[in-house]
Amino acid sequence: LEYLEVHNPSDWPEALGGWELTGGVDMTFADATWLDPGATLLVLPFDPTAPGNAQRLLTFREHHDLTDTTALTGGYDGSLSDTSEAVSLWRLTETGTLRLEDGVSYGAAALSEAEAGDSLHRLGPQSLGLEASSWLPGTPTPGAAFPEP
């Protein structure tokens, strides 16, 4: 029941169409993907809009106690390692090139205090995603932008 989160800390909506996730998981966001100001988008390893994934979606929502209003997208390839991983978020620029927007890289040190079922929580919107000190393990809180550690 893994997932990633993309958060928009800005005061304006963000068009994610053409943005990419690369690394342990790979996905290109659909053209119609928007992220409202202050909102968090859950990115799943399956397409939550595909009729064939209805039971999988229901199981995911029930497991994480999510409402129908929780923003979801997905269908990424790959999976997140329980020991170490790097994932990058690339912004599609107006010129059609990709620019690194954010990322996370974690290893055994970041996970040393984690318990089974924990997820990594970013400490805040200003913390750098590629710095291990920006993350703490804790109980999963999908959709909560920056839960209390």
Side-chain angles (χ1 to χ4, degrees):
L1 298 177
E2 77 178 27
Y3 61 92
L4 294 156
E5 293 175 307
V6 177
H7 178 72
N8 180 1
S10 74
D11 293 329
W12 55 89
E14 189 67 63
L16 299 180
W19 288 35
E20 294 183 11
L21 287 169
T22 62
V25 301
D26 293 295
M27 186 181 102
T28 300
F29 289 87
D31 288 340
T33 308
W34 281 85
L35 190 54
D36 290 333
T40 300
L41 175 66
L42 273 64
V43 185
L44 310 178
F46 61 93
D47 180 354
T49 64
N53 289 330
Q55 184 58 49
R56 199 171 178 190
L57 176 60
L58 180 63
T59 300
F60 183 85
R61 284 191 185 280
E62 287 177 349
H63 179 81
H64 291 294
D65 196 27
L66 301 176
T67 68
D68 289 341
T69 60
T70 303
L72 305 171
T73 191
Y76 64 72
D77 294 322
S79 64
L80 299 171
S81 170
D82 290 337
T83 56
S84 66
E85 196 68 78
V87 177
S88 298
L89 176 64
W90 298 88
R91 171 189 289 269
L92 182 63
T93 67
E94 293 176 3
T95 63
T97 60
L98 292 170
R99 182 188 84 216
L100 182 63
E101 181 71 18
D102 203 357
V104 59
S105 180
Y106 62 89
L111 300 172
S112 64
E113 297 178 26
E115 297 180 16
D118 277 356
S119 64
L120 289 177
H121 297 273
R122 192 175 195 154
L123 297 179
Q126 303 307 318
S127 57
L128 298 176
L130 293 174
E131 290 186 8
S133 62
S134 295
W135 302 88
L136 287 176
T139 302
T141 56
F146 303 104
E148 293 297 320

